[in-house]
Amino acid sequence: MFYFIGLGLGDAKDITVKGLEVIKRCSRVYLEAYTSILTVGKEALEEYYGRELILADRDMVEQEADEILKGADVSDVAFLVVGDPFGATTHSDLVLRAVNAGIKYRVIHNASILNAVGCCGLQLYNFGETVSIVFWTDSWKPESFYDKIKRNRDMGMHTLCLLDIKVKEQSMENLMRGRKVYEPPRFMTVAQAAEQLLEAVQNRRERAEEPAITEDTVCVGLARVGADDQAIRAGSLREMAECDLGAPLHSMIITGHLHPLEVDMLRLFSSPEGLRGLKMTDSSTYVS
Amino acid sequence: MFYFIGLGLGDAKDITVKGLEVIKRCSRVYLEAYTSILTVGKEALEEYYGRELILADRDMVEQEADEILKGADVSDVAFLVVGDPFGATTHSDLVLRAVNAGIKYRVIHNASILNAVGCCGLQLYNFGETVSIVFWTDSWKPESFYDKIKRNRDMGMHTLCLLDIKVKEQSMENLMRGRKVYEPPRFMTVAQAAEQLLEAVQNRRERAEEPAITEDTVCVGLARVGADDQAIRAGSLREMAECDLGAPLHSMIITGHLHPLEVDMLRLFSSPEGLRGLKMTDSSTYVS
C-alpha cells in the first residue's frame, strides 16, 4: 500500500494517531519538502517518529516517482506532506502512477491552512477562490492575484492568500552556468505580501480604476497557524505592511463582507484602532 | 485552558497525537454532536480515549455555554468537534465567552471535509464558495444553492455542497405540543441532493432561464471521506441521483472548468461512460 499522510500544521505531534501507526510500519518513508514547512525540521520528525525520512524535493517527485513507488505493491511505503496531502498541491501525478502500476493507495488526512484559517473567526463558508501571491522581481510583477481578490470582494467573499515559498532556487547566474548551487530558502511574510498588494492598489489608482481594495481594507495576517506560538493580527492593509509576525509560514486574508460575529472575533486580534476602516452597510454587514 | 480539538474525519484514530494527549489530561471532555459525525459513535471514542465524554447538543452549546467553560481558568477542559473545530461551524460564541471570562483557549486543528475533498483529484484552488443543501419539505423548497453553484460555474469554479443533517429534530406535532420527543437522525445522501438539484434545474428550464447546470453536468459524490470504506463516485448529475454510496456522511461537488489532470483523476472514480458529458473548450480546459 502507498500511503499519502498529512502531517497537519505545527510540529511533530500534529500527525494523527492513524498516520503515526502507519509510519512506524512502513518500509520507506518520504518527506515532501517543497510546498510547505512545519515549525520543526526533518531531524525532529525523525526523532519523534523513530524513523529515518527520505527528503523528497520537487525534482525527485517529478523525475523519480517510480523510485518512490517501488515496492509499494508488496510492502507499505509512506509519503508525508505538511498539511493535508491534497491541500495546496494535489499529488495527482503520484496517484495516477500508482494506480497505473497496480499499486493500491490510501490517504490519511490532516489539517490544511485552507481550513485552519477558520481560527481567526472568519466563516470558511464566506471564502471565495484561494489565491497565491508570488515574490515580485524587478522585471516580473504579476498582478493577477489582485483581480481574483477583487472578484471575491465584489461578491462579498473573503480571500485566503497563500504566500510564496522559494526552496532550492538557483540564482540566475548559477542557473545559466548550470551550477547546482541553491539560494537560502525564502518565505514571503505578511508584510511583504501587503507591500506588493499596496503597490498593485497604487497601480490601479494611477490607471483610474474603481478601487476594489484600499489601504484601509481589513486584512488578517496569520503566522505558524497550529503551532504554540502562532500569531494572528487583524487590521488595515496598511498595518499589515508594517507588522512583524515572526518566523514562517505566513498567510494573509483580505476580507469581504463581514458579519458582526466575524467582526467581534477579529477584534480579539486587532489594536483598538485596527478595524477603524469598517463601515456598516446594513445591520448585519460590515465592509472596509 | 479551554481546548477546541478537531477529531478529523473517519474514526477514533483520526485524532492528532497532540489532541489525544490533551484529552487524557482534561478534567472534563465535551463532544459536540450536531454539525457532523464520525463513522464511530460516542462509546467507541470513550473506549479509545479512555475518558467519559459529555454529549453537547446544540441546545447545550447555545444555552449552557457558561457551564461548559466552567473551571477552564484553573484546569483543562476540552471541546471535541468532528472535522476541524472551525470548519463548518466557527464556535465563535464559545471563543468570545471564554475570552470575556478571562479563560485562555487553544485550537488543535484537524482535517475538515472542506480540504479533504481534495482526495477526488479536484484542485482546492479551483473551488468557489461552499454551499449547503437543506432537506426540502412539501412547502419549503429553497433554491439559493442553485444560484451559488451557478455563480461559481460562471467563473469556472467547482462547488462543494455540504448536505443536510437533522439531529434531534421534533415533528411538527411534537413541537406544537411541546413534547421533547425527537425524530431519528437523518443525513442527506448524494442521491437526495442530486434529486433536489435536478428539480431546481427543471424549474429554471420552465422559467426559460439559461441553464447553468444540466443533467449531464459532471459531479462527484463522496461518502465517509477518510474512513476505511470511503466511497467516491464521479459522473453526471443524472448518475448521482441514482447512486447509492452507503452510510453517512455524504457530500457532493458540482464541477466547474476541469483541467486535464483533474479529468484523469476523476476517471479513477467513474464508470467508462461517466464523464461522457465533458466537452473540451480549449487544450487545457474541459467543461460539462
Side-chain angles (χ1 to χ4, degrees), chain A residues 9-21 48 84 86-93 95-96 99 105-112 114-132 151-152 155 157 162 225-228 230 261 264-265 268-269, chain B residues 9-21 48 84 86-93 95-96 99 105-112 114-132 151-152 155 157 162 225-228 230 261 264-265 268-269:
Chain A
L9 309 164
D11 60 33
K13 287 188 173 177
D14 285 297
I15 191 164
T16 63
V17 174
K18 192 178 279 177
L20 185 57
E21 285 182 359
Y48 184 71
D84 187 77
F86 292 80
T89 305
T90 70
H91 286 284
S92 302
D93 182 63
V95 171
L96 292 168
V99 172
Y105 74 95
R106 253 201 87 185
V107 181
I108 299 182
H109 293 285
N110 209 322
S112 152
L114 289 136
N115 68 282
V117 290
C119 64
C120 73
L122 297 177
Q123 272 277 3
L124 291 180
Y125 277 83
N126 299 337
F127 279 75
E129 185 180 356
T130 301
V131 313
S132 293
R151 210 164 65 172
N152 284 338
M155 295 186 301
M157 312 298 283
L162 302 178
V225 170
D228 287 344
Q230 74 171 23
L261 195 56
D264 287 345
M265 283 291 294
L268 300 180
F269 308 112
Chain B
L9 309 164
D11 60 34
K13 288 188 175 177
D14 285 296
I15 191 164
T16 63
V17 174
K18 192 177 279 176
L20 186 57
E21 285 183 359
Y48 185 70
D84 186 78
F86 293 79
T89 304
T90 70
H91 286 284
S92 302
D93 183 63
V95 171
L96 291 167
V99 172
Y105 75 95
R106 254 200 87 183
V107 181
I108 299 182
H109 293 285
N110 209 321
S112 152
L114 289 137
N115 68 280
V117 291
C119 65
C120 73
L122 297 177
Q123 271 279 4
L124 292 180
Y125 278 83
N126 300 337
F127 278 74
E129 185 179 356
T130 300
V131 312
S132 292
R151 210 164 65 172
N152 284 339
M155 296 185 300
M157 312 297 285
L162 302 178
V225 170
D228 287 344
Q230 74 171 22
L261 195 57
D264 286 345
M265 283 291 295
L268 300 180
F269 309 112

Side-chain angles (χ1 to χ4, degrees), chain B:
Chain B
M1 185 77 84
F2 190 79
Y3 288 94
F4 292 89
I5 303 178
L7 301 185
L9 309 164
D11 60 34
K13 288 188 175 177
D14 285 296
I15 191 164
T16 63
V17 174
K18 192 177 279 176
L20 186 57
E21 285 183 359
V22 170
I23 288 177
K24 287 189 183 291
R25 70 162 186 259
C26 277
S27 56
R28 295 194 313 285
V29 185
Y30 293 89
L31 174 63
E32 190 263 62
Y34 57 94
T35 53
S36 191
I37 55 161
L38 293 173
T39 55
V40 296
K42 173 170 171 277
E43 293 69 29
L45 295 180
E46 286 180 323
E47 193 184 328
Y48 185 70
Y49 303 153
R51 293 297 311 264
E52 190 196 335
L53 302 181
I54 307 163
L55 220 52
D57 61 21
R58 191 186 298 269
D59 286 351
M60 185 178 187
V61 175
E62 289 176 359
Q63 291 159 27
E64 297 164 44
D66 294 334
E67 193 59 38
I68 293 174
L69 292 167
K70 202 168 151 183
D73 47 345
V74 290
S75 71
D76 291 332
V77 176
F79 184 78
L80 313 184
V81 183
V82 173
D84 186 78
F86 293 79
T89 304
T90 70
H91 286 284
S92 302
D93 183 63
L94 265 182
V95 171
L96 291 167
R97 277 171 189 268
V99 172
N100 287 335
I103 294 167
K104 292 209 168 103
Y105 75 95
R106 254 200 87 183
V107 181
I108 299 182
H109 293 285
N110 209 321
S112 152
I113 187 68
L114 289 137
N115 68 280
V117 291
C119 65
C120 73
L122 297 177
Q123 271 279 4
L124 292 180
Y125 278 83
N126 300 337
F127 278 74
E129 185 179 356
T130 300
V131 312
S132 292
I133 302 185
V134 298
F135 278 116
W136 280 355
T137 66
D138 288 341
S139 56
W140 191 63
K141 302 192 173 187
E143 289 186 3
S144 54
F145 62 88
Y146 180 98
D147 299 298
K148 288 182 182 175
I149 295 168
K150 177 179 187 317
R151 210 164 65 172
N152 284 339
R153 269 177 70 84
D154 285 347
M155 296 185 300
M157 312 297 285
H158 312 312
T159 309
L160 170 63
C161 304
L162 302 178
L163 309 185
D164 205 2
I165 293 178
K166 294 281 186 206
V167 194
K168 282 195 98 176
E169 294 287 312
Q170 288 168 280
S171 69
M172 193 50 80
E173 196 188 331
N174 284 326
L175 190 70
M176 285 170 67
R177 293 181 184 229
R179 289 193 296 223
K180 294 232 170 209
V181 176
Y182 302 103
E183 302 297 302
R186 289 192 298 153
F187 305 94
M188 187 184 282
T189 63
V190 164
Q192 288 170 321
E195 280 290 353
Q196 290 190 185
L197 193 50
L198 282 170
E199 200 174 321
V201 167
Q202 192 53 35
N203 290 343
R204 302 299 169 119
R205 201 171 272 142
E206 283 164 15
R207 283 183 251 152
E209 270 184 34
E210 185 74 32
I213 308 166
T214 72
E215 290 78 358
D216 290 321
T217 296
V218 170
C219 300
V220 184
L222 306 103
R224 302 174 304 288
V225 170
D228 287 344
D229 66 341
Q230 74 171 22
I232 303 177
R233 187 80 58 84
S236 67
L237 178 58
R238 196 187 287 109
E239 276 181 82
M240 291 297 122
E242 284 155 16
C243 75
D244 178 3
L245 298 182
L249 285 181
H250 292 194
S251 315
M252 185 166 69
I253 299 165
I254 319 298
T255 63
H257 288 174
L258 291 160
H259 184 273
L261 195 57
E262 293 182 313
V263 174
D264 286 345
M265 283 291 295
L266 292 188
R267 286 194 204 286
L268 300 180
F269 309 112
S270 77
S271 62
E273 66 279 4
L275 303 183
R276 214 172 24 189
L278 282 181
K279 285 171 286 288
M280 201 171 231
T281 61
D282 60 56
S283 64
S284 65
T285 316
Y286 290 85
V287 69
S288 58

